């Protein structure tokens, strides 16, 4: 069994185990992303945080599994996996599609009486702000062009036709999940929310990021950074600092 899994669970990667940490950080990747995207975050925050990176089906070591093309289905599955590890405060951190997923996981946890310590939504407009983008309905070449425009996929993958054939089904499925998601009215979260976004992101305006405030009765913070949709690649230290401050509120 791989040492970076939690009890052999296919959904969770624990790259730097810190079982005695006071806080658990759950990281949810972007469309087409994988748990390994958060390896640097795990390295920086361990051992102060027990960092759990979520691995969606249909990619890397889960490539033979059926992709899930619904945020609701993903949220149900992730929530079920997380329930056994909510014995200490949990911070949810999602980028792009992962931010929407984190929101829906937070809703499900709160219905069970578990209020996350914070939700950090990165590179994603508020759930109530919809755009009809339809990337998942485009041709393979058009999806590749979208990935290049957003700079979210490694250049070596985009230039390798065999690798692309392997990852495009998961990317298309994730885009479908993100683009067919529709916010269902309900009570706002009690969980504090932070929205983080790149000022040049074509997918998120300042107003759309600020609208996350409508989804919580708790504190809200808005953080902007230089860069586009994947501002996080260059601004990770500042985002990691924001996460660390949340954890510091728990105390020793």
């Amino acid at each position: 069994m791989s040492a970076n899994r939690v009890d052999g669970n296919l959904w969770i990667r624990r790259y730097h185990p810190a079982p005695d940490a006071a806080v658990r950080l759950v990281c949810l990747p972007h469309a087409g992303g994988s748990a390994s995207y958060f390896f640097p975050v795990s390295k920086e925050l361990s051992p102060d945080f027990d960092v759990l990176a979520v691995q969606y089906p249909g990619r890397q070591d889960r490539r033979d599994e059926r992709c899930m093309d619904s945020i609701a289905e993903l949220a149900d599955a992730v929530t079920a996996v997380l329930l056994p590890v909510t014995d200490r405060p949990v911070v949810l951190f999602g980028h792009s599609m992962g931010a929407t997923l984190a929101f829906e996981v937070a809703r499900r946890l709160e219905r069970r009486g578990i209020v996350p310590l914070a939700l950090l939504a990165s590179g994603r407009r508020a759930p109530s702000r919809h755009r009809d983008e339809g990337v998942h309905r485009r041709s393979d070449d058009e999806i590749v062009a979208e990935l290049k425009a957003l700079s979210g996929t490694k250049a070596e993958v985009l230039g390798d036709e065999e690798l692309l054939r392997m990852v495009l089904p998961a990317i298309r499925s994730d885009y479908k999940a993100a683009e067919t998601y529709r916010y269902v009215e309900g009570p706002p979260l009690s969980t504090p929310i932070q929205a983080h976004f790149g000022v040049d992101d074509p997918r998120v305006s300042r107003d759309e990021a600020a609208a996350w405030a409508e989804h919580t009765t708790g504190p809200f913070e808005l953080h902007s950074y230089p860069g586009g949709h994947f501002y996080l690649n260059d601004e990770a230290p500042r985002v990691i600092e924001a996460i660390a401050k949340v954890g510091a509120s728990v105390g020793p």
Side-chain angles (χ1 to χ4, degrees), residues 154-189:
K154 292 181 180 179
E156 58 266 29
V157 173
L158 294 174
D160 188 315
E161 185 176 345
E162 185 176 355
L163 272 177
L164 270 177
R165 283 199 302 268
M166 290 176 60
V167 301
L168 271 175
I171 292 171
R172 186 183 295 278
S173 178
D174 288 355
Y175 267 99
K176 182 179 179 181
E179 293 175 343
T180 59
Y181 171 80
R182 298 293 183 273
Y183 170 67
V184 177
E185 289 285 345
L189 297 173

Side-chain angles (χ1 to χ4, degrees), residues 15-231:
Y15 295 115
H16 304 89
D20 297 326
V23 182
R24 288 202 164 103
L25 173 68
V26 178
C27 298
L28 299 153
H30 54 279
S34 60
S36 57
Y37 182 74
F38 294 106
F39 183 92
V41 175
S42 175
K43 184 178 180 181
E44 286 297 319
L45 289 173
S46 180
D48 295 325
F49 286 77
D50 186 24
V51 181
L52 310 181
V54 172
Q55 183 80 311
Y56 308 139
R59 68 217 66 209
Q60 293 187 336
D61 58 338
R62 302 190 70 186
R63 62 185 175 275
D64 293 330
E65 297 179 51
R66 177 185 66 85
C67 295
M68 293 184 177
D69 59 8
S70 158
I71 292 293
E73 184 181 16
L74 280 165
D76 287 343
V78 171
T79 302
V81 168
L82 293 182
L83 285 174
V85 294
T86 55
D87 56 325
R88 64 198 67 187
V90 170
V91 175
L92 300 172
F93 173 43
H95 182 68
S96 194
M97 180 190 81
T100 304
L101 179 56
F103 171 73
E104 287 296 333
V105 169
R107 293 178 106 180
R108 286 157 173 76
L109 290 175
E110 288 203 5
R111 288 183 201 130
R112 292 164 173 80
I114 302 164
V115 179
L117 188 62
L119 163 60
L120 281 78
S122 169
R124 188 66 176 169
R125 53 191 172 271
S128 54
R129 298 300 189 268
H130 174 69
R131 295 191 194 184
D132 187 12
E133 293 168 328
V135 175
H136 73 280
R137 295 190 296 268
R138 299 178 189 174
S139 69
D140 288 354
D141 287 346
E142 288 171 323
I143 291 179
V144 171
E146 172 75 7
L147 298 175
K148 288 180 178 178
L150 293 180
S151 301
T153 301
K154 292 181 180 179
E156 58 266 29
V157 173
L158 294 174
D160 188 315
E161 185 176 345
E162 185 176 355
L163 272 177
L164 270 177
R165 283 199 302 268
M166 290 176 60
V167 301
L168 271 175
I171 292 171
R172 186 183 295 278
S173 178
D174 288 355
Y175 267 99
K176 182 179 179 181
E179 293 175 343
T180 59
Y181 171 80
R182 298 293 183 273
Y183 170 67
V184 177
E185 289 285 345
L189 297 173
S190 300
T191 304
I193 295 179
Q194 293 184 16
H196 299 253
F197 74 105
V199 294
D200 297 319
D201 189 346
R203 297 299 185 196
V204 187
S205 70
R206 174 176 288 273
D207 286 346
E208 289 171 325
W212 278 96
E214 300 169 9
H215 294 286
T216 181
T217 58
F220 173 74
E221 297 178 13
L222 182 65
H223 299 260
S224 62
Y225 305 84
H229 191 62
F230 283 91
Y231 77 91

